[in-house]
Structure formats: structure tokens, C-alpha cells
């Protein structure tokens, strides 16, 4: 989990959301190393167009093997 890999993942997540999800306003994406070497934590903050209240979505990617 190098900082270059985490930055690249963040860039692709932002682009996919911007290009494919017109119902939300993306407020931020953060990709950080998890608690172990085999985890990546993704935090996405957004709001929907009808509701200005921000929503935070957190997901942890774990290597299975």
C-alpha cells in the first residue's frame, strides 16, 4: 500500500463517481491504509441533489488470500 497506489485508487474512484452517478454531489474521497498491510479503507462523502445533508460511506477492502 504505497501512497502512489492509494492516490491512484482515489483518482479512479472520484472519476467513476463523477462520470456515472449524476444523482449525487461528491464532497470528498479518502483512501488510506487499513489497520493491517492487507487492508485499504475507502471513505466517500457526498450529498444527494435533493438533500444537502452530507452522507459518509466507509468501506474496507481486505485481501482474502
Amino acid at each position: 500500500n504505497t501512497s502512489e497506489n492509494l492516490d491512484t485508487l482515489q483518482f479512479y474512484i472520484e472519476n467513476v463517481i463523477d462520470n456515472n452517478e449524476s444523482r449525487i454531489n461528491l464532497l470528498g474521497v479518502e483512501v488510506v491504509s487499513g489497520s493491517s498491510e492487507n487492508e485499504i479503507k475507502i471513505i466517500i462523502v457526498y450529498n444527494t441533489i435533493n438533500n444537502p445533508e452530507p452522507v459518509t460511506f466507509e468501506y474496507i477492502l481486505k485481501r482474502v488470500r
Side-chain angles (χ1 to χ4, degrees), residues 2-58:
T2 65
S3 63
E4 292 172 355
N5 289 341
L6 297 176
D7 290 342
T8 301
L9 181 59
Q10 179 176 340
F11 173 78
Y12 282 117
I13 291 171
E14 289 172 349
N15 280 336
V16 166
I17 292 172
D18 285 339
N19 293 332
N20 297 309
E21 189 52 76
S22 61
R23 297 172 291 180
I24 67 169
N25 295 318
L26 185 61
L27 301 175
V29 175
E30 184 179 0
V31 179
V32 294
S33 294
S35 58
S36 75
E37 153 181 327
N38 295 321
E39 290 182 1
I40 296 175
K41 185 175 184 178
I42 300 170
I43 304 166
I44 302 172
V45 181
Y46 64 93
N47 63 2
T48 58
I49 293 179
N50 337 13
N51 187 0
E53 186 175 332
V55 177
T56 301
F57 173 78
E58 294 185 23

